[in-house]
Amino acid sequence: MSSTELRHTALDAVHRSLGATMTDFAGWDMPLRYGSERDEHNAVRTKAGLFDLSHMGEITVTGPQAAALLDFALVGNIGAVKTGRARYTMICQADGGILDDLIVYRLAETEYMVVANASNAQVVLDALTERAAGFDAEVRDDRDAYALLAVQGPESPGILGSLTDADLDGLKYYAGLPGTVAGVPALIARTGYTGEDGFELFVKPEHAVELWQALTKAGEGVGLVPCGLSCRDTLRLEAGMPLYGHELTAALTPFDAGLGRVVKFEKEGDFVGREALAAAAERAESAPPRVLVGLVAEGRRVPRAGFQVVADGTVVGEVTSGAPSPTLGKPIAMAYVDAAHAAPGTPGVGVDIRGTHEPYAVVALPFYKRQK
């Protein structure tokens, strides 16, 4: 396969038949939008959206010491996760830098599925394989074994419920259970990246089209629409969820990102990055270098990643993600800013947008929180 050849998901023909605008995302040809990004975004907030996330990287870890390997390789306490539950965690370098943020599902006593970001799947696979040395556990690349569909939004439990006899009411947030959806065997997980209630469905690629069509039909009467990666980005931004390569990088530790809670020092044994992360935790407590905050525009100009945050003519931070917020009706951004300017309501903060210092309000994250 040539380096320029894009990978296609099992739903590629479906996206094209729906008139999707396609884009290269981490080497995959993925739908950016089908129509209006704003309409897709609003559908997820008020009704439901259907996503193809088959570009995500699934890695299976099995064997008697699978839990011990993951406790050593990752910063979380994975051995404490009960079968049928999932955990948000990270994999770090020895120096504490974040290699990726992950969701780990415990499928059985000695079987886990690690889901990595598409752009980092190979890096995570390589790191886990290397860290597995000396453990009685197997790391398997299962990226081609799964298609991943997500139905997100307030109508999603009803839509999915009409197609499965799985106990969705009993399925907690960050839990997963095997079931059948529209006759298709699936791992049904109550997870997502939108800030709404919703489900992610892991199925065999050959069942993806059938499942997509069944979900589309089941959602017809309640406003379900197909959604692309563009609205997924604005949804996660409003929900204050970090994106690797923007809020998370190898140059930052989880503590720098305000996500130190994912590092579990109390677990037994050593883990990769423990020493460096302990030092980072101390630094973050005494004098955090920069803090991740929300910014809301007073005007209409949209900040983008890499734009400088300024106060009194001085650079005090950098935007990591920015976009118009359909829910707030204003441009918003996440940014790392100096601790002195990080408190919500700090006056005099702006973003340098092509030479003009546009005024922005500093707010606590997230920008949007769904009503339970």
Side-chain angles (χ1 to χ4, degrees):
M1 185 166 113
S2 77
S3 59
T4 52
E5 195 179 321
L6 293 178
R7 298 184 69 179
H8 298 277
T9 78
L11 290 159
D12 186 68
V14 173
H15 302 318
R16 290 170 197 283
S17 72
L18 291 169
T21 299
M22 305 296 284
T23 188
D24 174 0
F25 187 84
W28 290 82
D29 206 12
M30 297 297 293
L32 189 62
R33 71 182 79 82
Y34 298 86
S36 151
E37 292 164 15
R38 178 180 292 269
D39 290 350
E40 291 172 25
H41 178 110
N42 289 334
V44 176
R45 285 277 177 258
T46 59
K47 298 176 178 121
L50 180 59
F51 296 83
D52 176 13
L53 305 178
S54 303
H55 60 311
M56 299 295 279
E58 296 87 5
I59 300 161
T60 303
V61 180
T62 55
Q65 289 190 300
L69 162 59
L70 290 171
D71 276 341
F72 169 71
L74 312 180
V75 300
N77 190 356
I78 308 303
V81 177
K82 291 180 167 57
T83 299
R85 298 304 303 264
R87 186 66 47 86
Y88 175 77
T89 187
M90 295 183 185
I91 182 166
C92 290
Q93 301 172 150
D95 67 2
I98 303 165
L99 281 175
D100 201 12
D101 62 335
L102 313 163
I103 296 180
V104 179
Y105 298 86
R106 189 169 198 165
L107 304 180
E109 184 61 29
T110 59
E111 183 180 3
Y112 295 82
M113 180 167 67
V114 177
V115 181
N117 285 297
S119 54
N120 294 330
Q122 191 63 47
V123 169
V124 174
L125 178 69
D126 291 346
L128 286 174
T129 303
E130 187 185 315
R131 293 173 192 189
F135 288 93
D136 188 2
E138 183 201 347
V139 176
R140 188 172 72 233
D141 180 0
D142 269 348
R143 283 176 286 181
D144 294 334
Y146 291 102
L148 175 56
L149 281 66
V151 55
Q152 300 277 307
E155 297 288 351
S156 56
I159 293 167
L160 191 59
S162 71
L163 296 174
T164 183
D165 54 9
D167 177 19
L168 298 184
D169 289 342
L171 188 65
K172 295 187 176 80
Y173 187 50
Y174 266 75
L177 85 172
T180 303
V181 182
V184 169
L187 171 67
I188 305 166
R190 200 167 209 144
T191 44
Y193 194 49
T194 62
E196 296 300 333
D197 191 11
F199 302 88
E200 295 184 322
L201 307 168
F202 295 86
V203 298
K204 288 183 174 171
E206 58 263 34
H207 294 148
V209 172
E210 182 187 342
L211 183 57
W212 179 281
Q213 288 167 345
L215 288 163
T216 299
K217 197 165 177 1
E220 265 171 7
V222 291
L224 174 85
V225 301
C227 291
L229 292 180
S230 188
C231 85
R232 190 167 183 250
D233 192 47
T234 52
L235 288 159
R236 70 93 196 165
L237 177 55
E238 287 184 350
M241 294 174 164
L243 175 63
Y244 197 88
H246 291 257
E247 289 72 41
L248 309 175
T249 70
L252 297 168
T253 73
F255 294 95
D256 296 323
L259 290 165
R261 65 181 181 276
V262 305
V263 182
K264 304 300 183 189
F265 292 115
E266 70 275 15
K267 64 179 174 177
E268 281 178 32
D270 195 17
F271 62 90
V272 176
R274 181 192 269 273
E275 204 173 305
L277 289 166
E282 268 182 50
R283 275 199 310 276
E285 216 164 282
S286 56
R290 280 188 168 173
V291 180
L292 188 65
V293 301
L295 299 174
V296 178
E298 290 179 24
R300 311 298 308 161
R301 297 184 77 185
V302 180
R304 297 297 181 190
F307 284 15
Q308 292 178 333
V309 180
V310 290
D312 305 321
T314 307
V315 176
V316 297
E318 187 176 300
V319 171
T320 53
S321 297
S325 164
T327 306
L328 274 63
K330 297 174 178 178
I332 59 172
M334 285 201 271
Y336 282 107
V337 301
D338 294 348
H341 297 275
T346 300
V349 173
V351 176
D352 184 340
I353 300 181
R354 297 182 184 86
T356 308
H357 291 185
E358 299 284 339
Y360 271 75
V362 180
V363 301
L365 293 168
F367 300 96
Y368 165 86
K369 214 170 193 172
R370 73 182 167 98
Q371 303 302 306
K372 288 282 186 267

